[in-house]
Amino acid sequence: MALVPFDDRDGWIWLDGEMVPWREAKLHVLTHGLHYGSGVFEGERAYDGNIFKLHEHTGRLITSGQILGFNIPWSADEIDAACQEVLARNNLTEAYIRPIAWRGSEMLAVSAQQTKIHLAIAAWAWPNLFGQNRMKGVRLAMAKWRRPAPETAPTASKASGLYMIGTLSKHAAEAEGFDDALMLDYKGDIAEATGANVFMVFDGELHTPTPICFLDGITRRTVMALARNRQMKVVERTIKAEELQDATEVFLAGTAAEVTPVRAIAHHSYTPGAITETLLKDYEALVRMSPEEVTRRVG
Ligand SMILES: Cc1ncc(COP(=O)(O)O)c(C=O)c1O
């Protein structure tokens, strides 16, 4: 399929309070966010015109900025409304939405106290990260890079700079023919994939690593609630890399990946099974319910 560059598309992007034509949504090369990674972003999905868990995503965006030491100069309600406006203006009902906030170009040094904080919101059609046949499962390589300790990096923020090791890991995995990479944390325990959280089934129970140094994903929390609604036992704990061989099912959960079964991690093979399929279907049904019904079912 021909690649359509992201800077050469039709449509509208919300930039600092105004809707601008897609190709004109530009910034200066001496932007702090580009040089020093001082940006935070979100990834959201709209289904049937409703942005799933919009207010939670907006809340995380604002908190991510605060963790990096800045306040986004728009309220949560204004950001929610802008996300909806971007969808409508681009005539999208099924879409991926990308809000991003960053430090501007007023100062360019490590210290950047007087930089203006910018906010942009774009949306585009982006079907599941791993395509339509995902029930057969994706294959993960083991990443060489590890998630840093919370004392080493602001790991609770969805900060652009933290994705550097994700891109390195995913590129290395793709070069070896895998779909994605599984990252360990700084202690050598299982952390997450490069853009999604991981779940494993042990003895019929659903286990997932405690999010100490990576995002406690909105999809992750949703899947845990769906599993509990089904009376499944859900366990958050440290999962050792040696335990990979004992898992009977493995899947990823994230806004872009949704629920995606895993059929291999390095040389370990898995058969996507009943628990994965049940939660995949429950998630697919949930995202198409009204926001009120979503809150009623999973909080
Ligand atoms: C590194 C990483 N971990 C986990 C997630 C899952 O988070 P969420 O379910 O909130 O999209 C994402 C996606 O945003 C991610 O990029």
Side-chain angles (χ1 to χ4, degrees):
M1 209 169 66
L3 219 54
V4 186
F6 269 88
D7 58 356
D8 190 15
R9 296 181 176 199
D10 295 330
W12 296 86
I13 292 178
W14 188 100
L15 177 58
D16 289 335
E18 280 174 46
M19 210 56 91
V20 300
W22 192 288
R23 293 178 184 80
E24 289 166 32
K26 293 183 176 169
L27 47 90
H28 200 271
V29 290
L30 298 181
T31 290
H32 195 273
L34 175 65
H35 291 244
Y36 297 100
S38 56
V40 296
F41 68 95
E42 268 308 310
E44 305 163 1
R45 267 192 194 279
Y47 300 89
D48 298 327
N50 287 320
I51 302 175
F52 184 69
K53 298 242 177 192
L54 171 60
H55 207 63
E56 253 181 81
H57 281 285
T58 299
R60 184 169 69 185
L61 180 74
I62 291 170
T63 306
S64 290
Q66 286 166 346
I67 294 171
L68 293 205
F70 62 77
N71 286 312
I72 298 174
W74 282 272
S75 70
D77 286 346
E78 286 168 337
I79 297 171
D80 284 356
C83 290
Q84 300 282 9
E85 206 185 318
V86 170
L87 267 192
R89 188 66 184 260
N90 288 287
N91 294 319
L92 291 166
T93 53
E94 303 283 312
Y96 180 83
I97 302 107
R98 168 57 59 87
I100 178 159
W102 68 95
R103 288 190 186 276
S105 49
E106 292 77 11
M107 298 177 78
L108 196 66
V110 172
S111 173
Q113 309 270 9
Q114 266 83 56
T115 43
K116 185 176 163 195
I117 306 304
H118 298 269
L119 178 65
I121 305 169
W124 60 91
W126 190 16
N128 180 274
L129 189 56
F130 297 107
Q132 281 312 309
N133 278 333
R134 68 189 199 285
M135 198 51 215
K136 78 179 186 356
V138 295
R139 296 171 61 249
L140 310 182
M142 288 306 294
K144 181 180 87 177
W145 298 93
R146 292 184 173 193
R147 303 295 317 172
E151 298 82 13
T152 304
T155 53
S157 172
K158 193 167 163 66
S160 307
L162 290 171
Y163 281 81
M164 178 178 59
I165 53 174
T167 299
L168 285 170
S169 301
K170 184 136 178 166
H171 283 182
E174 287 173 346
E176 290 175 32
F178 289 89
D179 301 294
D180 198 354
L182 181 69
M183 303 184 77
L184 301 178
D185 69 11
Y186 63 102
K187 301 188 263 63
D189 300 324
I190 291 167
E192 58 168 0
T194 63
N197 292 117
V198 66
F199 284 86
M200 302 185 168
V201 176
F202 295 103
D203 295 327
E205 297 174 358
L206 191 61
H207 291 221
T208 192
T210 314
I212 290 165
C213 63
F214 54 86
L215 282 187
D216 178 5
I218 292 168
T219 318
R220 173 185 184 278
R221 291 200 298 266
T222 302
V223 165
M224 289 167 76
L226 287 171
R228 289 186 175 121
N229 287 352
R230 290 251 179 209
Q231 272 69 53
M232 289 180 199
K233 182 155 185 224
V234 181
V235 184
E236 268 184 293
R237 64 174 179 90
T238 298
I239 303 179
K240 298 274 169 207
E242 304 83 78
E243 295 182 66
L244 278 177
Q245 62 193 42
D246 303 324
T248 52
E249 295 180 41
V250 180
F251 65 86
L252 303 180
T255 298
E258 300 168 299
V259 173
T260 292
V262 171
R263 73 183 147 104
I265 302 176
H267 58 277
H268 304 291
S269 298
Y270 308 98
T271 308
I275 292 182
T276 304
E277 190 160 16
T278 300
L279 293 170
L280 188 155
K281 287 191 172 147
D282 282 357
Y283 186 75
E284 280 186 342
L286 183 79
V287 295
R288 297 197 178 275
M289 292 177 189
S290 68
E292 298 74 32
E293 186 60 18
V294 169
T295 306
R296 206 181 64 71
R297 290 182 185 234
V298 296

